[in-house]
Amino acid sequence: MFRNAAFLLLVISITACAGRSAKSVISPEGAFDEIMKFDRFAAIQLGATKSALVASFDSFKTEMSNPTTSEETYWILRDPRTGYQKAALTFDEHTQSLVGKIWIVREGEPERAQNVARARFTQATFVTRDLPSRNPHLLYGDRILTDEKSGITMEISKQTDEVSSIQWYDPSYRSPARDLGDQKSQYTF
Amino acid sequence: MMFAYPVTVFAADKLPKDCKPGELWVHSYGKTQYGKPIWVSSYCRSLPAGERKGFWQNRFKDRVEYWPNPIEKQKRWSLFEREEALRALDGIPSMLWGSKVKAIVRFDRSKDFPNQSSYGGEYIALFDAAFSKDQNLKRLLTHELAHAMWNDFPDEWKESYYQETGWMRVRPGPNQPPVMMGRIFGYIQNDGKIRPDEDFANNIEAFLFEPERLSEVTPGAHRWIRERFGDNFKLR
């Protein structure tokens, strides 16, 4: 009788533990949906350290480094369901802190419209710039709206005049490596 | 006229009525071949889809209002060049015939000589170098039409291409432009490293002209193109 009761108690406690742990584990999809909202992403402060951010993004980030420069690493944030990139964070390798971020605006999202996206940054004064094409064979470059003061940049599709990405960087930030004159503008490799 | 162009009989002169339904009548014209002027007799050219000529004919322009590189001079199409370009376009799968291409324009020399062709958004430029005998006009036009096609892609197609071929968007530090970061290796042509749209145009070109090489060098791109465009996507 006593042995049966002890066994029953053991089964109940194991079931309870399993239930509790199942509740506490958030799937990558769940974490992605919870964290990857525009307002939440926009609120991430430049200068935050990698270690402070890792818990939020760990389940759906891929870390990349750029072989042409040892200055920066990137966290590519992908939707676990589609595998498509939604955003990226750029870290300075020396300080391990966030120096840039990009939010990709998908078709159907409200920020796709320039007026909606601009309204998100009421303090910013955006200047339109057409970047020259780096490819002699392809004559159109990208169009961006930049607020030099805050470092907020919007990438504009020339075909549709819609916002395709919103980016943040700290204009006052200086990388120690850059100060040494190691300036590499070619990030593709 | 006859003195200027010694008669070279390629075939007996044909009249439009001699052409079968669906064939295109090409009237006689003079051209230079291996440095010698020759005269090409009129002939009937096979045109399986009757609308092909109509599709492109009005897009051959001698002049466009705006061109971003002022040192590149526009010039008139010769009949021969126009015919050669039409023939090349005929051989390109019609899936690539972008209706957004408003004009195909002739220019003398590219500011980036020996560049043979350019895509400037709505316009395709063919430079003198495109008509040199070592060039494959069909291949050049395929590449430029692939650029036009890329511009028409919905986001989902672009994202799927990025994923399959290893392109990522990142925000570099200050004083840097927005950047697409490409895969480390596996480019069919080196200039594909610059941007995904150039990479795409190179891969479409390779898919049609060197499919086995593309399958070896960039299998992801080969797979993606085959899946999206199907088995009928091939040269005619």
Side-chain angles (χ1 to χ4, degrees), chain A residues 7 16 28 47 51 53 55 106 136 156-157:
Chain A
F7 179 72
S51 54
L53 296 171
R106 295 257 176 265
I156 306 296
S157 158

Side-chain angles (χ1 to χ4, degrees), chain B residues 146-203:
Chain B
H147 278 304
M149 174 184 258
W150 173 266
N151 279 349
D152 276 351
F153 275 174
D155 272 10
E156 196 278 331
W157 280 51
K158 287 183 182 170
E159 287 305 330
S160 144
Y161 182 80
Y162 296 154
Q163 191 195 13
E164 190 69 48
T165 55
W167 283 93
M168 284 150 284
R169 270 187 270 192
V170 296
R171 169 70 243 183
N175 307 318
Q176 303 284 332
V179 163
M180 291 289 307
M181 195 170 71
R183 58 191 178 276
I184 299 167
F185 52 81
Y187 292 92
I188 200 88
Q189 286 180 53
N190 263 338
D191 62 355
K193 295 174 182 177
I194 300 174
R195 293 171 63 106
D197 40 4
E198 189 61 35
D199 178 48
F200 173 77
N202 290 341
N203 289 335

Side-chain angles (χ1 to χ4, degrees), chain B residues 209-226:
Chain B
F209 290 87
E210 307 172 83
E212 280 154 23
R213 193 171 151 243
L214 180 66
S215 176
E216 260 174 44
V217 177
T218 324
H222 187 274
R223 191 166 46 245
W224 191 90
I225 295 167
R226 200 185 55 225

Side-chain angles (χ1 to χ4, degrees), chain B residues 11-53:
Chain B
D13 253 335
K14 298 261 188 192
L15 295 171
K17 65 175 181 164
D18 298 325
C19 300
K20 292 174 194 155
E23 284 186 330
L24 170 69
W25 179 70
V26 183
H27 62 75
S28 52
Y29 59 91
K31 70 168 186 173
T32 306
Q33 193 172 61
Y34 304 115
K36 289 181 183 170
I38 59 165
W39 190 256
V40 179
S41 308
S42 58
Y43 62 99
C44 295
R45 184 162 66 80
S46 170
L47 196 68
E51 74 277 9
R52 281 188 200 147
K53 187 178 179 221

Side-chain angles (χ1 to χ4, degrees), chain A residues 54-76:
Chain A
V54 71
S56 301
F57 300 102
D58 209 24
S59 61
F60 55 89
K61 75 167 171 59
T62 312
E63 184 157 335
M64 310 276 306
S65 57
N66 190 329
T68 62
T69 170
S70 54
E71 293 173 35
E72 289 167 354
T73 54
Y74 312 106
W75 286 0
I76 309 296

Side-chain angles (χ1 to χ4, degrees), chain A residues 82-153:
Chain A
T82 60
Y84 297 165
Q85 186 189 350
K86 181 61 188 145
L89 301 174
T90 304
F91 294 95
D92 184 299
E93 258 311 274
H94 306 282
T95 61
Q96 296 281 298
S97 62
L98 186 67
V99 294
K101 54 181 182 168
I102 176 170
W103 176 264
I104 296 160
V105 187
R106 295 257 176 265
E107 278 164 355
E109 291 180 24
E111 289 78 18
R112 192 87 174 173
Q114 276 195 44
N115 56 343
V116 176
R118 281 168 180 264
R120 295 280 196 177
F121 309 102
T122 48
Q123 303 297 312
T125 309
F126 288 106
V127 176
T128 307
R129 278 170 59 207
D130 280 329
L131 302 175
S133 168
R134 286 163 52 205
N135 181 357
H137 153 83
L138 197 61
L139 300 178
Y140 57 88
D142 298 313
R143 176 168 295 162
I144 55 170
L145 301 178
T146 311
D147 175 32
E148 301 285 355
K149 209 170 155 190
S150 66
I152 295 164
T153 304

